[in-house]
Amino acid sequence: MFKSKKIVRPAYLKEGDKVALISPAYWVPQEAIKEAADTIRGWGLQPVIGPHTNILNMEAYAGTVEERTADLLWALQDDSIRAIICSRGGYGSMHLLSHLPQTCFLEHPKWLIGHGDITILLHASVCNRVIGIHGPMAFQMAGEHGLATGITRDILFGTLPQYEVRHSPYDHCGRAEGILVGGNLSSYSAITGTSFQLPPKHDVILFIEETEEPLHNIDRLFYRLRLQLDFERVRGIILGSFNSIRFDLQSDSVEQMLTAHLAEYDIPVCCGFPVGGNSCIPMMVGAPCVFEVSPEKSVLTFNVEGERKTYSLEGASEQLFKK
């Protein structure tokens, strides 16, 4: 499938470049798309909206599988489009995979942005060795000027974040290097172990997040992920936001339960990283990175060409999305 082992960074954007807005999963109101387009236009870029982005069918998807696939392929194959922002997640991205050539992301490398259910498409991009952005989606960028949106814009223009997070009692200290993989736990555990395989011979840093799941399901999904993913390649783990979790097992927290899973691995673990749900700090999936956990803080640095800007994420969840 791969002719090169090299990780591909899509080209950084410049003023006047086109950015596509598409809906590979659930539908969002037209007004949210228009407001997101205004935000992108404010960055000096040209928003272009997928033909089927606002088609609502009876199941709440943004069009049929064929229509949603057509929009993604249109955005990928049009070389004048330099980045793709998904309008929202929900469910439905999995439907597209059997309709996509497995090399389509590598043939037209460009920035793909989203999270939640979009984790599945981001994984497909990483399997093509193309870096993507697990970050805010169009409905969150509508009228939006908060930290997560600003960092996403900066990445697109070549200014890369270095993140610092305050130490958590459940952290495990250490240092690791690898490509960053992961995202929403339900979505990521569904795609790992399929024909979409991570690039071989690369160590990985795994991050996960989840919303509105019972604790026993998070437990089951993580066990499943350990069986599907070659954990010998996992050099570090970042536990993100776990919002609106129903505690139906005897654990004080998701972090307590998951770090118990990881006790047998002598790898760095960071808890409480503000990624996922409404706390969606942008993560460069597929990017080589250095991950360090100390008794004071955790630091994530992306080893990708570009300028650097350091963000201390203490209390970040309150400032990620501001009107």
Side-chain angles (χ1 to χ4, degrees), residues 119-132:
T119 292
I120 287 171
L121 298 180
L122 289 168
H123 177 78
S125 179
V126 172
C127 290
N128 274 240
R129 304 182 186 277
V130 179
I131 296 172

Side-chain angles (χ1 to χ4, degrees), residues 38-45 85 141 149 152-153 156-157:
D38 288 342
T39 296
I40 293 165
R41 200 172 289 112
W43 298 351
L45 302 171
I85 299 177
M141 294 181 178
T149 300
T152 302
R153 175 200 60 216
L156 291 176
F157 283 99

Side-chain angles (χ1 to χ4, degrees), residues 81-260:
I81 293 173
R82 308 302 296 276
I84 304 168
I85 299 177
C86 300
S87 67
R88 69 156 295 178
Y91 177 69
S93 296
M94 182 68 81
H95 300 161
L96 278 58
L97 294 185
S98 62
H99 299 268
L100 296 174
Q102 280 214 7
T103 58
C104 63
F105 295 94
L106 185 58
E107 291 169 354
H108 304 273
K110 58 190 65 178
W111 298 103
L112 175 67
I113 304 164
H115 69 273
D117 185 65
I118 307 303
T119 292
I120 287 171
L121 298 180
L122 289 168
H123 177 78
S125 179
V126 172
C127 290
N128 274 240
R129 304 182 186 277
V130 179
I131 296 172
I133 300 175
H134 179 281
M137 292 181 282
F139 84 94
Q140 294 166 311
M141 294 181 178
E144 181 50 59
H145 303 285
L147 182 62
T149 300
I151 297 175
T152 302
R153 175 200 60 216
D154 289 347
I155 292 173
L156 291 176
F157 283 99
T159 298
L160 310 184
Q162 175 179 275
Y163 295 131
E164 297 181 354
V165 180
R166 183 172 59 183
H167 184 78
S168 161
Y170 292 111
D171 285 358
H172 188 274
C173 296
R175 182 184 185 279
E177 296 186 26
I179 62 170
L180 187 69
V181 301
N184 175 260
L185 178 58
S186 297
S187 300
Y188 194 66
S189 64
I191 187 65
T192 53
T194 69
S195 59
F196 286 85
Q197 297 289 324
L198 289 172
K201 299 183 180 180
H202 282 280
D203 291 337
V204 301
I205 308 297
L206 172 68
F207 76 99
I208 58 171
E209 55 84 14
E210 190 53 84
T211 300
E212 297 181 351
E213 288 287 346
L215 195 61
H216 83 271
N217 202 34
I218 294 175
D219 185 65
R220 176 173 57 222
L221 290 170
F222 197 74
Y223 265 110
R224 178 179 175 180
L225 188 58
R226 287 178 62 185
L227 292 171
Q228 291 174 311
L229 186 63
D230 182 3
F231 247 68
E232 294 302 316
R233 298 172 62 184
V234 177
R235 299 305 184 203
I237 292 193
I238 297 171
L239 300 181
S241 301
F242 294 89
N243 301 312
S244 302
I245 303 302
R246 180 162 57 88
F247 282 80
D248 55 355
L249 295 179
Q250 292 183 343
S251 289
D252 293 337
S253 66
V254 175
E255 290 78 10
Q256 181 191 54
M257 182 184 71
L258 292 183
T259 52

Side-chain angles (χ1 to χ4, degrees), residues 248-305:
D248 55 355
L249 295 179
Q250 292 183 343
S251 289
D252 293 337
S253 66
V254 175
E255 290 78 10
Q256 181 191 54
M257 182 184 71
L258 292 183
T259 52
H261 276 285
L262 300 169
E264 65 186 88
Y265 302 99
D266 186 19
I267 58 176
V269 178
C270 167
C271 299
F273 200 98
V275 58
N278 287 327
S279 302
C280 199
I281 204 77
M283 302 284 267
M284 297 177 65
V285 291
C289 61
V290 176
F291 174 50
E292 299 177 89
V293 181
S294 75
E296 292 77 35
K297 62 184 177 181
S298 298
V299 180
L300 180 65
T301 305
F302 298 103
N303 275 342
V304 179
E305 182 183 0

